[in-house]
Amino acid sequence: MPTETVSLPKNVPVCPVRGSVIYPTMVQHIDASRALSIGAIEAAMAGEKVILIVSQRDKDVDDPQGSDLYDVGTACNVLRVRKNPDGTVQMLVSAVARVKAANYTRDEYLRADISLLKATPDKDVELQAVGRELKEKFELIVSGGKLNAEAVQTIQGKDEIGEMADHVAFNLDFKLEDKQALLEASNVTARIRKLLTLLDTEQEVQAVQAKIRAQVKEEIDKNQREYYLREQMKVIQKELQGGEDGE
């Protein structure tokens, strides 16, 4: 959904999350166990059913304040909420827009003012070029088996290149700081450029891993061969010694 068509409340409840980033157009389950998050979800359901999902800078902080959260998060529509017997809550959300958060307030839960994250215009030719590069790299990722079949099918069904980039980023194991940088990118071109850099690094890491695996396998095979030969020699020596005793 283009951000210019999104209408959002000015002030919304905030659900902090640890170690993850959700991007617009995604529909995701969010599990909440902290009173802070559950309070925000209940407030969203009692109000306009809009909530801000935003990542903590430090996932080990149990009771975050506004200063513990990133400045940019994702405004989401709450589609469904389920309370579990153990007191935790599972929320299904539809992510709609990148937003900047400000003026945090805290009572039983966090609230913040939100505004759509302003993006600079993309240049068509440049966007076309980076989009083509992303599609080529995506094929390499698929062939390398880094994504499950369901994720591949979802990504392949994305016609809009920005959405495709978001879904690739979400499904790969990047650091939180990198996923957050992709959320905050100034436009689609900048987002894909950042993603391409991350994918290049990922490919280099995979190449090194493959080399290490090959070296380890070669060493194991060598050790196994040596062990096999030693055992053979023991058997031969035993047979020879047995033959000598029998003469």
Side-chain angles (χ1 to χ4, degrees):
M1 181 187 296
T3 55
E4 60 268 15
T5 66
V6 175
S7 177
L8 296 169
K10 182 187 176 184
N11 186 272
V12 297
V14 179
C15 179
V17 293
R18 311 192 219 210
S20 63
V21 174
I22 183 173
Y23 300 98
T25 77
M26 294 182 176
V27 175
Q28 291 292 325
H29 283 102
I30 306 289
D31 295 317
S33 59
R34 295 181 288 185
L36 181 77
S37 301
I38 294 173
I41 294 170
E42 290 174 346
M45 289 301 291
E48 298 179 78
K49 295 184 173 56
V50 176
I51 197 165
L52 172 63
I53 304 295
V54 62
S55 298
Q56 296 182 196
R57 298 177 187 274
D58 182 350
K59 66 180 182 180
D60 294 326
V61 175
D62 286 326
D63 190 29
Q65 305 297 317
S67 57
D68 296 310
L69 309 177
Y70 282 101
D71 296 331
V72 175
T74 312
C76 301
N77 290 324
V78 183
L79 303 179
R80 187 171 66 243
V81 171
R82 184 183 71 190
K83 294 184 178 181
N84 299 316
D86 62 0
T88 61
V89 169
Q90 186 179 72
M91 168 177 60
L92 181 67
V93 300
S94 172
V96 295
R98 290 166 158 84
V99 295
K100 190 170 180 62
N103 303 325
Y104 279 97
T105 57
R106 170 74 185 268
D107 190 0
E108 294 180 0
Y109 60 90
L110 286 166
R111 296 189 71 95
D113 291 339
I114 58 171
S115 56
L116 292 175
L117 190 64
K118 294 179 181 178
T120 57
D122 291 286
K123 295 180 180 178
D124 290 341
V125 174
E126 190 176 6
L127 181 58
Q128 224 174 13
V130 295
R132 188 175 299 172
E133 183 72 11
L134 175 60
K135 288 178 179 178
E136 290 176 3
K137 286 196 183 298
F138 175 68
E139 294 303 322
L140 292 175
I141 295 168
V142 172
S143 63
K146 291 293 289 184
L147 293 171
N148 61 51
E150 185 180 352
V152 171
Q153 186 176 13
T154 298
I155 294 167
Q156 286 175 335
K158 297 297 174 184
D159 295 326
E160 205 274 315
I161 194 67
E163 290 183 23
M164 179 184 179
D166 286 342
H167 281 262
V168 170
F170 180 82
N171 284 284
L172 288 175
D173 190 25
F174 297 140
K175 292 187 296 184
L176 173 63
E177 293 83 358
D178 292 326
K179 286 179 178 273
Q180 182 68 27
L182 291 169
L183 184 70
E184 297 179 10
S186 59
N187 59 19
V188 178
T189 303
R191 197 188 317 160
I192 296 175
R193 282 187 178 278
K194 172 68 176 172
L195 179 57
L196 290 173
T197 301
L198 294 172
L199 293 176
D200 283 341
T201 302
E202 178 66 22
Q203 285 180 318
E204 289 174 9
V205 170
Q206 287 181 32
V208 172
Q209 285 180 323
K211 184 178 179 181
I212 291 171
R213 279 196 298 268
Q215 290 172 339
V216 170
K217 184 177 184 303
E218 185 179 345
E219 188 64 29
I220 291 172
D221 290 345
K222 179 183 175 183
N223 291 339
Q224 286 177 334
R225 285 195 302 270
E226 289 177 352
Y227 173 78
Y228 178 69
L229 289 172
R230 284 197 301 270
E231 292 301 306
Q232 274 191 321
M233 288 300 296
K234 287 179 184 178
V235 172
I236 291 170
Q237 286 174 350
K238 187 174 181 180
E239 288 295 323
L240 289 173
Q241 289 169 355
E244 290 171 358
D245 293 340
E247 288 178 354

